[in-house]
Amino acid sequence: MSANTSMVTEFLLLGFSHLADLQGLLFSVFLTIYLLTVAGNFLIVVLVSTDAALQSPMYLFLRTLSALEIGYTSVTVPLLLHHLLTGRRHISRSGCALQMFFFLFFGATECCLLAAMAYDRYAAICEPLRYPLLLSHRVCLQLAGSAWACGVLVGLGHTPFIFSLPFCGPNTIQQFFCEIQPVLQLVCGDTSLNELQIILATALLILCPFGLILGSYGRILVTIFRIPSVAGRRKAFSTCSSHLIVVSLFYGTALFIYIRPKASYDPATDPLVSLFYAVVTPILNPIIYSLRNTEVKAALKRTIQKTVPMEI
């Protein structure tokens, strides 16, 4: 077994190789999406960092989320573009492990950050008088730092564990990046115990922050329904709607992909689901937060007004 294991030094990412006639079109589409994703999220980072009106905890978390999305999509899309352009779909074993680590790192950090953002909305709506105390600058830094630390622990916990398992061949991954489920399918021998450990750890990572989010929004809904005026209820709910949409998109696909055994992995449909949360979701976040948030739109307008005269 050790001799066979040593032979697997690289993997083949099939991705969208079955769409041979559409490689050029796919390259153009994914390149456009990637550039828009980076530009949109970078714009939010710049706006929050420079505009004095966007210094509340909600926008500080939003800036962190946008920075995460840039890293999250940059882990997979540039390599996918390289494969589509050159036709070379090989990735080394160490490169695959590195990609998996950073994908898990950014994904786990976003899970925890979304929970922190839900707590921010809870404090703002349910505890408005104590909001400056509950979400002080120090507390915000602690929450954000804890989210990053959680991402590091998840990446370090899963990646070395998976790549310490024996890979005896074949080396073909039915995915466009090194995701846990399709990589696990290449491990030789009985991996049921390893698979159970990974599912339990992933479920704990996803369900704990998700439970905190549900608890926060349960309290928020109770508080909103107690507001006597319709306008007040609408205003309170509008401050949460963007975050709810992002949470639904992110957790919906994550729960579908990760909390299930590897035997249920479908190489025909699962890459499309992965494509949605790895490529499409990061570009939706800046659109959701900018189009549905008057303060962000006002900050963007002020920035344009300051920049355009300078260029003229």
Side-chain angles (χ1 to χ4, degrees):
M1 182 177 292
S2 62
N4 291 334
T5 303
S6 64
M7 294 175 59
V8 182
T9 59
E10 63 179 13
F11 297 99
L12 179 64
L13 295 170
L14 289 185
F16 303 98
S17 58
H18 60 290
L19 303 174
D21 297 333
L22 300 177
Q23 299 296 291
L25 176 61
L26 291 174
F27 175 83
S28 301
V29 170
F30 290 137
L31 177 61
T32 302
I33 292 176
Y34 178 67
L35 293 176
L36 291 175
T37 300
V38 173
N41 284 287
F42 182 74
L43 179 61
I44 289 181
V45 172
V46 172
L47 287 177
V48 176
S49 300
T50 58
D51 197 285
L54 301 180
Q55 299 305 306
S56 66
M58 179 178 71
Y59 294 110
L60 297 180
F61 287 137
L62 178 59
R63 179 178 62 186
T64 305
L65 178 65
S66 295
L68 274 174
E69 296 291 21
I70 294 175
Y72 191 60
T73 191
S74 297
V75 172
T76 57
V77 178
L79 183 62
L80 173 61
L81 293 174
H82 172 74
H83 292 165
L84 291 172
L85 186 63
T86 64
R88 299 178 59 185
R89 304 181 182 278
H90 292 85
I91 184 172
S92 66
R93 182 166 175 161
S94 59
C96 187
L98 194 64
Q99 185 184 53
M100 180 180 291
F101 167 79
F102 279 107
F103 187 78
L104 292 173
F105 164 66
F106 286 116
T109 304
E110 184 165 343
C111 276
C112 299
L113 185 67
L114 289 174
M117 295 175 74
Y119 175 71
D120 167 73
R121 293 298 82 207
Y122 158 78
I125 295 175
C126 301
E127 303 283 351
L129 298 180
R130 300 175 59 206
Y131 182 72
L133 178 63
L134 294 176
L135 269 299
S136 64
H137 184 68
R138 179 181 178 182
V139 173
C140 291
L141 291 178
Q142 290 174 342
L143 290 173
S146 298
W148 288 103
C150 179
V152 173
L153 292 175
V154 171
L156 291 178
H158 279 308
T159 308
F161 172 70
I162 291 175
F163 282 89
S164 66
L165 300 174
F167 291 91
C168 307
N171 67 339
T172 301
I173 299 177
Q174 302 282 346
Q175 184 58 282
F176 63 92
F177 68 100
C178 293
E179 197 174 25
I180 289 181
Q181 295 285 15
V183 171
L184 268 181
Q185 288 190 321
L186 304 182
V187 175
C188 58
D190 183 14
T191 62
S192 57
L193 180 59
N194 310 112
E195 182 183 348
L196 178 61
Q197 292 172 340
I198 292 174
I199 290 177
L200 290 177
T202 306
L204 183 66
L205 165 70
I206 294 177
L207 294 181
C208 283
F210 190 56
L212 293 174
I213 292 173
L214 290 179
S216 297
Y217 275 104
R219 294 290 301 276
I220 288 172
L221 288 176
V222 171
T223 302
I224 289 178
F225 286 134
R226 289 176 179 173
I227 298 176
S229 66
V230 176
R233 289 196 296 268
R234 185 181 296 112
K235 181 180 179 180
F237 185 77
S238 66
T239 63
C240 307
S241 57
S242 298
H243 182 252
L244 274 174
I245 295 173
V246 172
V247 167
S248 301
L249 293 173
F250 184 83
Y251 276 96
T253 52
L255 289 169
F256 175 78
I257 286 292
Y258 289 109
I259 306 183
R260 57 180 180 155
K262 71 174 184 180
S264 63
Y265 180 81
D266 186 354
T269 59
D270 283 17
L272 297 178
V273 179
S274 301
L275 180 69
F276 182 80
Y277 72 77
V279 179
V280 178
T281 300
I283 195 177
L284 294 179
N285 288 351
I287 296 175
I288 292 170
Y289 277 104
S290 60
L291 294 181
R292 300 181 62 87
N293 191 297
T294 56
E295 292 181 337
V296 173
K297 289 188 289 187
L300 178 60
K301 184 177 180 180
R302 287 192 295 269
T303 301
I304 294 175
Q305 290 175 344
K306 292 178 182 178
T307 305
V308 172
M310 293 176 60
E311 294 180 349
I312 296 176

